[in-house]
Amino acid sequence: RKEVEQDPGPFNVPEGATVAFNCTYSNSASQSFFWYRQDCRKEPKLLMSVYSSGNEDGSFTAQLNRASQYISLLIRDSKLSDSATYLCVVNKGSYIPTFGRGTSLIVHP
Amino acid sequence: GAGVSQTPSNKVTEKGKYVELRCDPISGHTALYWYRQSLGQGPEFLIYFQGTGAADDSGLPNDRFFAVRPEGSVSTLKIQRTERGDSAVYLCASSLTGEGAGNTEAFFGQGTRLTVV
């Protein structure tokens, strides 16, 4: 079993739609969680950290469920510019970011 | 520099040759990571440096791969006897600190696209 698992998609949604991605992780001792965004042929960039109490950043909401070992990302009112690959990241131990394979999102007009 | 810099941006080499990939992290960042990314996959961890020392090299696929960071800043990933399966984008990332850092962001370079022909 992979350490971090994501549905690769693609998720193909119209502008304005709400879309949610889930990610599961295998190491119950993991302490730090993130979502990164990666555009085509570009490097990954931090989208947001994920906190135990859940957190929002604009139209993005991240949730962590430690008991079930999954992380979610909700995107509301999706925009064309949200089209990208979203990478779930869990820190191995406390310091090595471990990436899922990414979920591809395509937002169309 | 302002961000993580990787050189070269592209490298084409013949099977069996030796290559070196360079990473210049953000100034002051003590933690440095190397990853490899193949098409349609997420970045795969290779090695982690804390300062000059390789704190975790468990991701290196075999002994053809080696990395150094002699002065705790610039790092070089070295691949001997390259194989076609080594073709991928090699990404370097740095963060302000490593162990015990909690939610410290890792900043990535734009990567080196290695093609072994």
Side-chain angles (χ1 to χ4, degrees):
Chain A
R1 183 186 172 189
K2 287 189 176 179
E3 293 182 63
V4 181
E5 299 218 43
Q6 292 183 256
D7 178 350
F11 286 66
N12 201 322
V13 303
E15 265 186 297
T18 295
V19 61
F21 309 136
N22 285 334
C23 160
T24 58
Y25 60 94
S26 60
N27 186 346
S28 60
S30 299
Q31 294 296 320
S32 302
F33 309 91
F34 309 86
W35 285 100
Y36 276 67
R37 171 188 169 132
Q38 187 171 27
D39 292 292
C40 188
R41 300 180 78 88
K42 299 287 189 182
E43 73 275 21
K45 292 184 179 178
L46 180 68
L47 178 67
M48 59 196 300
S49 300
V50 185
Y51 300 109
S52 297
S53 54
N55 47 298
E56 281 190 24
D57 183 358
S59 58
F60 298 89
T61 301
Q63 296 276 355
L64 168 63
N65 184 319
R66 285 187 186 271
S68 302
Q69 293 178 212
Y70 79 79
I71 305 151
S72 64
L73 179 68
L74 182 76
I75 306 176
R76 293 187 181 83
D77 189 25
S78 52
K79 302 172 181 51
L80 297 177
S81 58
D82 292 331
S83 298
T85 296
Y86 291 84
L87 296 159
C88 175
V89 182
V90 176
N91 274 18
K92 173 183 171 183
S94 63
Y95 49 88
I96 297 179
T98 302
F99 287 77
R101 67 178 293 180
T103 298
S104 176
L105 173 65
I106 301 168
V107 181
H108 60 82
Chain B
V4 179
S5 175
Q6 290 188 248
T7 54
S9 54
N10 282 283
K11 176 72 176 177
V12 180
T13 191
E14 292 181 350
K15 179 173 177 290
K17 298 288 189 184
Y18 168 81
V19 295
E20 289 190 354
L21 312 179
R22 176 189 166 107
C23 172
D24 201 339
I26 293 172
S27 178
H29 280 194
T30 61
L32 185 146
Y33 310 87
W34 282 99
Y35 291 84
R36 175 169 71 174
Q37 188 172 26
S38 301
L39 194 63
Q41 301 297 317
E44 172 194 5
F45 168 73
L46 296 177
I47 187 169
Y48 157 60
F49 287 90
Q50 181 59 246
T52 60
D56 189 326
D57 65 356
S58 61
L60 294 177
N62 52 59
D63 62 6
R64 295 187 298 106
F65 289 74
F66 189 70
V68 295
R69 194 186 185 198
E71 297 177 357
S73 178
V74 171
S75 177
T76 305
L77 178 66
K78 308 180 181 194
I79 310 174
Q80 298 178 319
R81 304 184 303 280
T82 50
E83 300 177 356
R84 292 198 179 89
D86 298 335
S87 297
V89 175
Y90 288 81
L91 292 163
C92 176
S94 71
S95 65
L96 190 59
T97 183
E99 295 182 45
N103 289 346
T104 300
E105 178 179 358
F107 294 84
F108 281 82
Q110 292 197 327
T112 295
R113 185 172 299 276
L114 176 67
T115 304
V116 182
V117 298

